[in-house]
Amino acid sequence: MMVHPTVFENLKVAFENYIYDLDNHGEGITVTHREDLLDLAVMSRRLELQFALIDQPDITARVRLEASVEDLAVEIMEQTEDLLLCQLQLRFGLNRPASEQGCEQHIFRLLREIWGNEVKLELTAIGSYDPDQNALTSKQLVADVRFDRKIGEAQIEDIPELVSHMIQTLYRLETV
C-alpha cells in the first residue's frame, strides 16, 4: 500500500527545492537557517527557511509553513475538497543603529507597497542595551507578513513569484 504525502509535505518540498536551487545556482541568495519540526505535543508540523542576499547577510527573509493536527485530520478524513490546509507567514529582519529614528515608518510603507493591503503587517523593534553606556546600542527590526487564508497544493505554482517578491523586499530593505 502506498501512502500519499500530505499537502504540508508537498508544499515543504516545493519551497525547499525552489529556495535551495536559487542558493545552489548562484542566484544571489544564501540559505542561513532551516528548521523542519514535528511538535509531538500538539502534532503540528512547521518548516522555516531563512535566507539572505549573499552580500547583505544582516537582512534576512524567512518563510514559515505550518500545519496543525486539525489540518492533517481534515485531509486524512477527506473532509474537505479545497485542501487549503497550511498557514504561510513571511518574516523579514534587519539590524539598525539604535540612534536611527523613523526608519520603522519607512519600512512599513515599503512593505505595504510590495505586499499590498491584503496582508497583515506587524513591525517589531527589539533593542540591545549596553549597561556600561547606559543606552541602547542597536535595534533589530522584525517585520511579519501574514496572509488571511491558508494555502494548498494549488499554490505551488505561486512559489517562484512569492520568493521573487521576498528577494525584491530584501533588495528594497538594503536602501533603508
Side-chain angles (χ1 to χ4, degrees), residues 4-18:
H4 293 284
T6 64
V7 170
F8 174 85
E9 289 295 326
N10 287 334
L11 285 167
K12 177 187 95 146
V13 168
F15 270 109
E16 287 175 325
N17 287 345
Y18 190 77

Side-chain angles (χ1 to χ4, degrees), residues 138-157:
S138 67
K139 62 182 170 184
Q140 180 185 27
L141 298 173
V142 177
D144 288 318
V145 178
R146 293 187 177 94
F147 300 90
D148 285 340
R149 63 181 183 88
K150 293 185 177 185
I151 65 169
E153 292 172 338
Q155 285 71 44
I156 285 178
E157 295 174 359

Side-chain angles (χ1 to χ4, degrees), residues 104-122:
E104 292 87 353
Q105 289 179 345
H106 181 69
I107 290 170
F108 193 84
R109 283 192 307 270
L110 182 145
L111 291 171
R112 185 60 70 202
E113 181 182 309
I114 293 170
W115 295 98
N117 293 322
E118 297 80 33
V119 299
K120 294 177 186 173
L121 294 178
E122 182 178 311

Side-chain angles (χ1 to χ4, degrees), residues 85-137:
L85 301 170
C86 295
Q87 192 66 46
L88 178 67
Q89 177 185 337
L90 309 178
R91 174 172 279 182
F92 300 92
L94 65 154
N95 296 319
R96 308 304 301 165
S99 60
E100 190 173 294
Q101 299 296 318
C103 66
E104 292 87 353
Q105 289 179 345
H106 181 69
I107 290 170
F108 193 84
R109 283 192 307 270
L110 182 145
L111 291 171
R112 185 60 70 202
E113 181 182 309
I114 293 170
W115 295 98
N117 293 322
E118 297 80 33
V119 299
K120 294 177 186 173
L121 294 178
E122 182 178 311
L123 191 61
T124 306
I126 304 164
S128 295
Y129 177 75
D130 182 351
D132 295 332
Q133 296 180 15
N134 194 28
L136 289 177
T137 56

Side-chain angles (χ1 to χ4, degrees), residues 22-167:
L22 291 175
D23 182 350
N24 291 330
H25 292 114
E27 297 294 326
I29 68 164
T30 184
V31 175
T32 58
H33 183 75
R34 178 183 178 273
E35 289 183 14
D36 184 359
L37 302 172
L38 168 61
D39 186 338
L40 294 175
V42 294
M43 296 304 294
S44 66
R45 291 293 313 268
R46 184 175 81 220
L47 170 73
E48 292 186 12
L49 276 174
Q50 180 176 290
F51 58 91
L53 299 175
I54 290 173
D55 61 344
Q56 196 61 261
D58 289 338
I59 303 174
T60 60
R62 184 189 75 185
V63 61
R64 180 178 184 158
L65 185 68
E66 291 182 284
S68 68
V69 68
E70 293 85 4
D71 297 326
L72 184 58
V74 164
E75 181 176 359
I76 291 171
M77 300 301 290
E78 298 178 357
Q79 295 175 340
T80 183
E81 299 269 332
D82 63 14
L83 294 180
L84 299 175
L85 301 170
C86 295
Q87 192 66 46
L88 178 67
Q89 177 185 337
L90 309 178
R91 174 172 279 182
F92 300 92
L94 65 154
N95 296 319
R96 308 304 301 165
S99 60
E100 190 173 294
Q101 299 296 318
C103 66
E104 292 87 353
Q105 289 179 345
H106 181 69
I107 290 170
F108 193 84
R109 283 192 307 270
L110 182 145
L111 291 171
R112 185 60 70 202
E113 181 182 309
I114 293 170
W115 295 98
N117 293 322
E118 297 80 33
V119 299
K120 294 177 186 173
L121 294 178
E122 182 178 311
L123 191 61
T124 306
I126 304 164
S128 295
Y129 177 75
D130 182 351
D132 295 332
Q133 296 180 15
N134 194 28
L136 289 177
T137 56
S138 67
K139 62 182 170 184
Q140 180 185 27
L141 298 173
V142 177
D144 288 318
V145 178
R146 293 187 177 94
F147 300 90
D148 285 340
R149 63 181 183 88
K150 293 185 177 185
I151 65 169
E153 292 172 338
Q155 285 71 44
I156 285 178
E157 295 174 359
D158 298 335
I159 290 173
E161 184 178 354
L162 178 81
V163 173
S164 175
H165 273 74
M166 293 176 76
I167 293 170

